[in-house]
Structure formats: C-alpha cells, structure tokens
Amino acid sequence: MCETSSHCKSASFKIPDLSLDTKLVHGTAPFDPVTGAISVPIYQSSTFRHPALHESTGFDYSRVINPTRQELERTMALIEGGAYGLAFSSGMGAISAIIKLYKPGDHILVSEDLYGGTYRLFNEYYAKYGFTFSWTDTSDFSRIEAGLRPETRAVFIETPSNPMMKVTGIRRTAELIHRRGGDLIVDNTFLSPYFQNPLALGADFVIHSGTKYLAGHNDTLSGFIVHSREDQEEALRNIQKSEGAALGPFDSWLVLRGLKTLALRMERHNAGAGRIARWLREQDRVDRVFYTGFEDHPQYELSRSQARGFGGMISFYLKKREDVDVLLRNLRLILFAESLGGVESLITYPLEQTHGAIPEAMRLSAGVNDRLMRLSVGIEAPEDLIADLEEAFRRCAAASCPRRGHKSTN
Ligand code: PLP
C-alpha cells in the first residue's frame, strides 16, 4: 500500500525516541522526500486516480483516506502514545463515533460534570436507540464502583471535568472497568497530550475536541480518537468511513500546523492560568475559584500523579448574580465566547452556553449555577488579562452601588 505516494514514503520515516516537544514539531513526516516540502501538502482532492483495475496508490476516496489527514492521524497517535489515530470533523463527531462501538442495551457510566453537548448527544439521541447512560461524580471512586451495572460496557470521563475542574483517577478507573470487561474512554481535551496521556495510564480510548488546544487558534473544528486497541481499529475505521464525519484536508493541515507549537502554547496557558487563578482568589467579587493547580484542590495530588501540568482552565463563582452581565459586558481583551484552548482568552457562562443542554437539577448538583464563569486563559500577557478583569470588576462594583440622587420608586 502507498508505494507510489511520496507522502507515504515520508510517513514511514523511522522515529527515534524523541521528546514530545520534538514529535509535535516534526510529526511522522518531517519532510516530503520527493519535493523536500517541509509543510505537509494539503491534498485537496476528493478522489484519487487508479493506475489500473485492481491497482491503487493506497488512496481512493478522501472520506476513507486522505494523505494530509493520514499524517495528522499518525501524528496524533504518536503524541498520545497510541497505535492508531482517527480524525473527525469535530469533537462531537469523534464522540458519536466511539459510542457506535457499543450496542443497544449496553450501559455507559459517564462523568456528571462534562461538556453539555456530550450530555445532549447521549441523552437525546443515543438513549433513543436503546443505549443507557447514567451520570455520576467520577472524581469519587466509590460512586464509580456503585454506578457499575452488569451490562456496563464503558466508563466515559472528562478529567479535569468541565467546568468544575474535578479530577478522576484514570489508573484506578481503568483497572476497575477492565476487571468487568469494559472500556475506559477519556476526553482529554482540557489537558491535551502535552500534559496528560490517558492511554499510558490504562485508558482504552482517548477523545479530543481538537478544536481546542490542538488546533489552538480558535479557527478550526476537529475531533480525534486515539487508541491502541487492535481489536477495534477496523470497526472504528468503518464507522469513520460510513458516517462521513472525517476531517477535511485543509482543516487537517491547520491542526498539524497548530500542533507544532502545542508545547510552547501549553506552557504559556499553564503559567498564565496559575497566576490568574491565584489573583482571582483574592478578589472581593469572587466567591470561589476552581483550579486544579491549587494545593488545597481536593484532587491536587491525584492531578500531579497523572498529569504534567494543570492546563489553562479556571472556573469561578461570582458572589453576586448581578455581576455576570456587567463583567461580560466590560471585558475587552478576554472575549465572551463559548470555546476554550485557543491563543485568545475566552470567558464562558456555562449555565446558558456550554451546559445549557443539561437539565437544571443535574447542572446544579454538578455545581453549574447562575454565578459560575469559566475562563480559558490564552497566551496573552497575564498582567494584561488581570488588568482587564480588574477593570471589569471595578465596573461591577460601580454598577452595584446605588447612584447618588437616585430615589427608590418603591
Ligand atoms: N469535549 C469537550 C471537553 C469540549 O469542551 C467540547 C466542546 O466544547 C467537545 C468535547 C466537543 O467538541 P467540538 O466542539 O469540537 O465538537
């Protein structure tokens, strides 16, 4: 296969035991051996000419296989420490594909504190077809044990969780579900492969919304499954090709370009978030800050035992509900938009945005109330971000003081 493709020849380049930083820059195809191109070409072709009947270059049709996407998939496998990578048109495309490994009647135990779109997909769609899901606080191991059923085929976790920043023990959860013959699926979007590699900790499948840190520039949607389960690779490839949600060549190239700077960006996100989280904790208008890098975070040690950094995400409760609107209106640098992981800092109001699909009782039990804000710290200078927040908080204070001369109409 691929004998005549210059790209494929370069993709078989032997990778010595390089550091993750280097693997991110070079991927598995550091250059094209025919043209010398350093940037992987964008093979913007939906189909590929066959030399003759029963002969193929290895590439037939881009929904099934495309050279640019193939290099991205191989690079994702390389950096997550898996044998196989599959690229989808979004994180939801990847999550939808992984669930199709299971069948009606199977039960999947899910972190209760997770991206609202995942909840909607499971509860409004897959549940209709006979899959059963239950939701629990997976940062509490005893709840995972209690939540397993004879028909449980998988545990699906986000760690750290979205948006409450709870940490689930990947090793312990993997051991537990493996003893029952099931799989552990980890959505690793928040930390990226730079800080956490769930497969090395025993997970079976890693999911990414590549839209976030991997692409990294708030400009490209993408999603990934990475795994080493030879027994499931063919099934996953078939799902990818049959559903048709594979990532296009240009977006694949954008993610490849983003990955080259992942190490630099993650270090910067991590440092900026640490500084801003500590600052936020001291602010009068802030009630509570959720950040895995605080030494008094309940799973701080667990975090350090399974991840190499804390990432760029912080959530916090404002003291007053009235401050939400004033804060969002007055931030200038930090943009009010629902995503995360890009170079620009974004602030989100989970109640109405990312977690709007989750029923109120479940949302509240997870901690997503009407005073919760989620901040994705970008790579701007942290002092500028702090100055932006400081000014917005000043405006919140001004808005909450009764104006002089104002008469109550009551
Ligand atoms: N997983 C997490 C943790 C997310 O935050 C998101 C989106 O915000 C997704 C999955 C879905 O990814 P996408 O928006 O790329 O479909």
Side-chain angles (χ1 to χ4, degrees):
M1 191 166 135
C2 312
E3 283 311 303
T4 57
S5 158
S6 59
H7 171 72
C8 272
K9 282 181 194 157
S10 67
S12 64
F13 185 85
K14 280 264 176 297
I15 304 291
D17 197 14
L18 300 171
S19 77
L20 179 56
D21 300 35
T22 308
K23 288 175 183 168
L24 284 163
V25 175
H26 290 282
T28 71
F31 63 93
D32 181 292
V34 173
T35 65
I38 283 159
S39 170
V40 172
I42 304 168
Y43 287 88
Q44 194 67 43
S45 189
S46 57
T47 191
F48 299 83
R49 173 186 169 270
H50 300 300
L53 191 64
H54 304 138
E55 284 182 31
S56 167
T57 60
F59 297 96
D60 303 322
Y61 189 64
S62 276
R63 173 158 44 74
V64 183
I65 185 169
N66 173 281
T68 315
R69 185 171 69 237
Q70 184 182 61
E71 169 53 16
L72 174 60
E73 292 179 329
R74 289 175 171 178
T75 299
M76 279 304 299
L78 181 72
I79 63 177
E80 264 297 9
Y84 311 101
L86 297 99
F88 296 84
S89 54
S90 69
M92 293 317 300
I95 295 171
S96 186
I98 198 90
I99 297 302
K100 293 198 178 65
L101 287 182
Y102 306 95
K103 56 180 193 324
D106 288 350
H107 168 251
I108 299 175
L109 183 66
V110 190
S111 298
E112 72 174 355
D113 174 25
L114 92 171
Y115 174 56
T118 306
Y119 175 85
R120 183 177 53 226
L121 178 73
F122 290 174
N123 215 42
E124 289 183 25
Y125 296 96
Y126 282 95
K128 236 175 18 190
Y129 302 113
F131 294 75
T132 49
F133 301 93
S134 60
W135 317 82
T136 197
D137 178 356
T138 53
S139 69
D140 177 346
F141 188 69
S142 65
R143 295 210 197 184
I144 306 181
E145 284 177 309
L148 296 180
R149 303 175 187 173
E151 68 276 19
T152 305
R153 304 309 315 146
V155 177
F156 184 108
I157 61 171
E158 267 185 36
T159 182
S161 67
N162 181 2
M164 303 311 295
M165 310 303 297
K166 291 180 179 173
V167 179
T168 297
I170 298 175
R171 288 188 188 87
R172 258 182 120 186
T173 309
E175 281 163 17
L176 177 67
I177 187 67
H178 288 161
R179 281 202 298 277
R180 309 282 200 102
D183 307 324
L184 177 63
I185 306 165
V186 180
D187 184 330
N188 199 28
T189 299
F190 264 35
L191 286 182
S192 90
Y194 185 71
F195 283 137
Q196 182 168 271
N197 301 115
L199 298 179
L201 301 168
D204 298 272
F205 302 101
V206 169
I207 298 287
H208 280 284
S209 167
T211 314
K212 311 302 186 317
Y213 291 106
L214 302 179
H217 293 73
N218 289 322
D219 58 10
T220 309
L221 289 167
S222 59
F224 297 93
I225 298 174
V226 183
H227 71 106
S228 297
R229 287 279 300 267
E230 205 180 333
D231 59 321
Q232 297 287 23
E233 170 62 3
E234 197 185 334
L236 283 169
R237 286 281 159 206
N238 264 321
I239 294 166
Q240 186 193 39
K241 107 172 156 191
S242 307
E243 280 197 326
L247 192 63
F250 183 57
D251 287 346
S252 295
W253 181 83
L254 281 169
V255 182
L256 277 167
R257 188 167 70 161
L259 286 178
K260 289 177 189 289
T261 56
L262 184 71
L264 296 174
R265 287 186 285 107
M266 290 313 293
E267 290 292 347
R268 180 81 178 198
H269 289 297
N270 192 58
R275 191 161 154 200
I276 293 168
R278 281 187 286 281
W279 178 84
L280 274 172
R281 229 181 188 186
E282 286 161 14
Q283 302 312 302
D284 285 348
R285 308 198 78 76
V286 173
D287 183 17
R288 208 168 143 197
V289 181
F290 303 92
Y291 171 62
T292 52
F294 287 145
E295 287 182 13
D296 57 0
H297 183 287
Q299 293 102 30
Y300 177 76
E301 289 306 330
L302 175 61
S303 232
R304 285 173 46 106
S305 75
Q306 62 185 24
R308 298 177 289 275
F310 303 110
M313 298 303 297
I314 305 168
S315 293
F316 58 96
Y317 288 146
L318 290 165
K319 281 189 184 147
K320 296 185 175 170
R321 163 70 185 84
E322 312 84 88
D323 282 358
V324 171
D325 188 38
V326 187
L327 180 75
L328 294 175
R329 232 176 244 288
N330 286 288
L331 286 167
R332 293 283 173 266
L333 265 184
I334 300 172
L335 305 169
F336 173 32
E338 54 189 293
S339 194
L340 65 108
V343 290
E344 296 91 359
S345 293
L346 302 182
I347 194 162
T348 306
Y349 187 46
L351 174 79
E352 288 184 17
Q353 296 181 302
T354 50
H355 290 66
I358 300 183
E360 189 180 3
M362 187 173 156
R363 227 189 322 102
L364 290 175
S365 122
V368 181
N369 65 21
D370 61 0
R371 293 177 293 116
L372 181 75
M373 313 303 299
R374 192 191 74 185
L375 179 61
S376 167
V377 177
I379 63 164
E380 303 94 333
E383 55 274 21
D384 291 337
L385 300 174
I386 287 175
D388 196 29
L389 285 161
E390 205 160 30
E391 178 56 24
F393 283 142
R394 234 192 315 273
R395 298 204 179 214
C396 291
S400 71
C401 290
R403 264 178 268 140
R404 232 183 270 156
H406 172 78
K407 286 202 180 94
S408 166
T409 50
N410 281 343

